[in-house]
Amino acid sequence: MPLFFYSKDGTNTRSASGQPGFEYWQNKADYKLSAKLNESDNEITGTSSITYTNNSPDSMSFLWMYLDQNLFKEDSRGNAVIPITGSRNGAQGEIFDGGHKIKSVKIVTSVKGISTEKEAKYLINDTRMQVFLPQELKSRGGVVTIKIDFSFISPKEGSDRMGILGTKNGKIFSIAQWYPRMCVYDDIAGWNTNPYQGASEFYMEYGDFDVSITVPANHFVVCSGELINVSEVYTVDQQKRFSQAKQSDKTVVIRSKEEVLTAVNATTKTHKTWHFKMKNSRDVAWASSASFILDGARINLPSGKKSLAISAYPVESEGNEAWGRSTEFTKALIENYSKRWFEYPYPTAINSASIVSGMEYPGIVFSSYKDKGKDLWDTANHEFGHIWFPMIVGSNERLFAWMDEGFNTFINSLSSDDFNNGEYKDKPVDMHVIGLKYTNPDLETVMSSPDNMKEANIGDLCYRKPSVGLVILREQVLGAERFDLAFRTYIDRWAFKHPAPDDFFRTVENVAGEDLSWFWRGWFVNNWRLDQGINSVKYVDDNPKLGTLITIENFEKMVMPVVLDIKTKSGKISRLKLPVEIWQRNKDWTFKHNSTEEIESVVLDPDHVFPDYNESNNAWKSVK
Amino acid sequence: MKNICLKYILQLTFLLGTSFLWAQQNRVSATTKQNSNYDYHEAFAPFFLF
């Protein structure tokens, strides 16, 4: 590893200051999607028309797309690496005809308003599809439209990110990773084509979506974005309640339990098409069921704009101890994150009850239908927090999960503090325990991708450890004001763009005005440990009235500032703070404390705010 | 995606925290000198060294 923290200088596309460079570019993928749900066969049949704009400086002779459903094919790479037990990935042993079936791939050209379609050559490899273009796609603005007919059978449990829940009033389909999606072409790797193996999530291009979903007529659909044809899919009464919800700070029922129970015995062979639009998004997901109770409330955003919180859940989940509070939570979370960090950009925020334990998509999240009380709050908090990371700040989840899971876990702790006078506030963590656990030498580094670490370590390394790192940085190194400004600046700079780790590190350093390479090295890049200890406590000239010389030492590779409590015999406690710079050229450090009496005790990190894994050398006590 | 290990982690954190606090309360005196693995150049080096 080079000793210099940054392996390269800033570029024209990524500034040394951490902001997008003056020649930053990214490509765009606009989708017109249509899908039809066959409830009895669990099959989705669809057409995807993708208009792809190449803003890169490179011309292209082929494109790469993801076919994520291919994870569920029996011979997929993901299936091959899923252990027999103890994994949440794959289809949980379900034997079915999984995988995307591609019926056709066509290039659509339009000349003088006349559209023609021509079959394109394509090659499918595992979860990726390479589409060969009949002529090169020009750099800096070239546009191509591709039309793909596809289908797939939904797994019942799709890697804990999608699936089908059976309820007494009908199946709930939670549908995601459902259409062929563009891979990202960026200035770092060119095409990002790491296969979907289950553990690592997604890296998506931004664009506008027009989505039409045809389902049995007794179903209700919730989807990322704005419902366009309200009058065609809701009854007159439901339309009125839908409008009331948009004006109400209290939850308004849009489709009641009684309506669900009345409709459940009504057989239907007809279908309805639900039409949604979503702008500037990296994905869309949806859910459909005859069993949905629906409610909603207005979300008030800092600019004065409004959004709409919606919850969809079966009768099994209803009640004020359970999903009856989902919309209240959703509204509070979106308003909190908008106020603290960046304004929510989408017209709706939907929490949909699901077989999935918790999964995020732009404008819609799937939460376990079993969740109640604090569990429901925690799931909604985390999944809606993902709207900011990675839906707004579009980092590469497949490689750097800590940039979404970790950053999200960090903001979750602050929103829990804020909500309803701390109703669901978490207890403070003991950083010494954190240090012992999260810097265990058996762990991989935070910078490892989820596909490159033990599945059991993902919770620690992608969620908790990076989150704790930001807590230490905020509360002990920079202070809340400097940290929050830097973090907000990072979000502002990279909203709807594709930041890499250096862009985050550089932004924090530049905005806060600190070289934090020592911090990134210890906590993120390496799995170093912290062990500060007290070596000796002596009096100047053996006279307590002349002051005390205290020698501390840094025993492991990680460095942190130092906090000590010094207690004198008379009971006076002095708190001393020493900057991290004492370790810049010293393994141990002796400093004078201007005491005038004998010392009773010295304690390093008395509040347990640094991740010092070894407490055995943290305290000195007078033997007299 | 939900961290399904969170509850387990919080419980473990609480248990370990309790045992460590107990251990610290019962410790009475000074420390034994250890060998340091710290390298300040590795932690702080600002320049690329060939």
Side-chain angles (χ1 to χ4, degrees), chain A residues 33-91:
Chain A
L33 303 170
S34 63
K36 185 172 184 180
L37 171 65
N38 181 331
E39 182 169 21
S40 59
D41 295 340
N42 301 333
E43 185 178 40
I44 288 93
T45 305
T47 299
S48 171
S49 182
I50 307 157
T51 300
Y52 184 69
T53 305
N54 175 24
N55 294 317
S56 82
D58 310 317
S59 60
M60 297 176 170
S61 59
F62 56 82
L63 310 175
W64 279 102
M65 309 184 80
Y66 276 119
L67 304 176
D68 301 288
Q69 287 298 318
N70 284 358
L71 171 66
F72 307 113
K73 291 180 76 167
E74 193 178 355
D75 62 351
S76 73
R77 292 191 199 184
N79 267 336
V81 299
I82 293 169
I84 294 165
T85 57
S87 177
R88 71 199 295 195
N89 298 320

Side-chain angles (χ1 to χ4, degrees), chain A residues 4-17:
Chain A
F4 189 47
F5 182 72
Y6 296 108
S7 58
K8 63 181 188 306
D9 297 337
T11 66
N12 293 353
T13 53
R14 291 171 194 270
S15 162
S17 68

Side-chain angles (χ1 to χ4, degrees), chain A residues 81-141:
Chain A
V81 299
I82 293 169
I84 294 165
T85 57
S87 177
R88 71 199 295 195
N89 298 320
Q92 301 297 298
E94 181 188 0
I95 307 295
F96 74 117
D97 185 18
H100 265 120
K101 294 178 177 61
I102 301 300
K103 295 191 174 71
S104 66
V105 178
K106 294 173 182 172
I107 306 296
V108 182
T109 52
S110 186
V111 179
K112 293 181 180 175
I114 299 171
S115 176
T116 56
E117 298 177 358
K118 193 174 179 182
E119 296 278 350
K121 184 184 171 191
Y122 61 92
L123 188 64
I124 296 174
N125 182 280
D126 197 59
T127 54
R128 295 78 47 86
M129 176 167 72
Q130 189 174 25
V131 177
F132 298 93
L133 302 174
Q135 58 192 48
E136 285 217 327
L137 181 60
K138 287 182 182 173
S139 61
R140 302 194 190 284

Side-chain angles (χ1 to χ4, degrees), chain A residues 4 360 534 554-555 583 617, chain B residues 1 31 34 36-38 42 46:
Chain A
F4 189 47
E360 68 280 7
I534 301 168
N554 200 47
F555 290 103
W583 306 121
N617 52 15
Chain B
M1 193 176 197
T31 55
Q34 307 163 232
S36 175
N37 293 319
Y38 179 55
E42 195 177 16

Side-chain angles (χ1 to χ4, degrees), chain A residues 279-294:
Chain A
K279 288 187 178 298
N280 206 15
S281 178
R282 46 179 262 164
D283 199 5
V284 288
W286 52 279
S288 180
S289 180
S291 75
F292 276 151
I293 296 169
L294 295 167

Side-chain angles (χ1 to χ4, degrees), chain A residues 234-292:
Chain A
Y234 284 155
T235 66
V236 173
D237 282 345
Q238 289 163 355
Q239 289 174 51
K240 283 181 189 167
R241 291 179 228 143
F242 186 70
S243 296
Q244 286 168 5
K246 286 182 173 178
Q247 304 299 323
S248 174
D249 288 325
K250 297 286 182 189
T251 301
V252 174
V253 174
I254 299 167
R255 187 189 188 222
S256 68
K257 175 184 177 183
E258 290 69 32
E259 287 171 288
V260 172
L261 297 176
T262 303
V264 70
N265 293 322
T267 56
T268 180
K269 290 184 178 175
T270 58
H271 289 81
K272 275 183 185 172
T273 296
W274 296 64
H275 186 194
F276 299 87
K277 286 191 176 180
M278 181 75 159
K279 288 187 178 298
N280 206 15
S281 178
R282 46 179 262 164
D283 199 5
V284 288
W286 52 279
S288 180
S289 180
S291 75
F292 276 151

Side-chain angles (χ1 to χ4, degrees), chain A residues 320-337:
Chain A
N320 277 338
E321 297 303 311
W323 278 72
R325 293 189 73 185
S326 167
T327 288
E328 175 198 352
F329 294 167
T330 302
K331 171 182 164 63
L333 287 162
I334 300 295
E335 289 177 352
N336 181 277
Y337 289 134

